Amino acid sequence: MARNTKRISRRKKKSVKRRGGKRGNNAFKNALQKLSSLHPSQRTQAMKMANTKFVRQFCQKVKSLRTARISPAVQTKLRRKSKVLRKLIAKKTSLRKKQDMLSQRGGGLLAILVPALISAITASLRK
């Protein structure tokens, strides 16, 4: 008459957070569209005040632009800013530095990136 000595744990299992998905992507797309409708000076102010989650997502989407289908005109514009884009994608670059790069006025980086990202995201949602 051996007893079963295994104890049954009665602890609750931790819920696993889901990351990504269409809901998050859609919210990011809406934020990008609002950003594109702003005046360039307002756009830079919005990027200065953007939260860290948005900046991370923005940099992640910029990284996905490498493989996305983009018009040749936008590709040439992106090639001109390739040095800055590499720093923006790099893991070593701090989040504060990335935010500063995105909020610069003179370079016009946001004017190039925002429409390119919108077209790439809408193309990926169609699939």
Side-chain angles (χ1 to χ4, degrees), residues 87-109:
K87 286 183 183 177
L88 199 63
I89 292 170
K91 287 182 180 179
K92 285 186 176 182
T93 311
S94 68
L95 205 59
R96 182 72 211 163
K97 192 82 165 177
K98 290 178 183 182
Q99 198 167 10
D100 288 343
M101 281 191 282
L102 288 171
S103 62
Q104 281 185 342
R105 287 186 177 194
L109 186 64

Side-chain angles (χ1 to χ4, degrees), residues 1-8:
M1 298 203 161
R3 268 180 143 180
N4 193 355
T5 57
K6 290 184 181 178
R7 287 189 179 181
I8 300 171

Side-chain angles (χ1 to χ4, degrees), residues 9-97:
S9 65
R10 294 183 184 181
R11 284 188 246 157
K12 290 183 180 179
K13 292 184 179 180
K14 290 183 181 180
S15 61
V16 179
K17 287 186 179 181
R18 289 183 157 183
R19 294 185 184 235
K22 288 188 178 183
R23 183 177 171 197
N25 203 5
N26 210 7
F28 181 73
K29 181 186 164 194
N30 293 338
L32 272 181
Q33 286 176 339
K34 287 178 185 176
L35 200 63
S36 69
S37 66
L38 294 175
H39 190 267
S41 61
Q42 292 174 331
R43 213 179 282 158
T44 56
Q45 286 295 323
M47 283 308 290
K48 279 183 184 178
M49 294 185 292
N51 61 359
T52 57
K53 183 180 177 182
F54 182 78
V55 175
R56 279 192 188 113
Q57 279 185 324
F58 193 87
C59 294
Q60 187 180 23
K61 294 297 179 183
V62 169
K63 191 174 184 177
S64 70
L65 275 179
R66 287 178 169 178
T67 57
R69 289 186 176 183
I70 315 168
S71 67
V74 177
Q75 283 180 350
T76 56
K77 288 178 184 178
L78 288 175
R79 271 193 218 113
R80 287 184 203 145
K81 305 286 183 184
S82 63
K83 202 172 194 178
V84 178
L85 291 177
R86 266 189 243 117
K87 286 183 183 177
L88 199 63
I89 292 170
K91 287 182 180 179
K92 285 186 176 182
T93 311
S94 68
L95 205 59
R96 182 72 211 163
K97 192 82 165 177

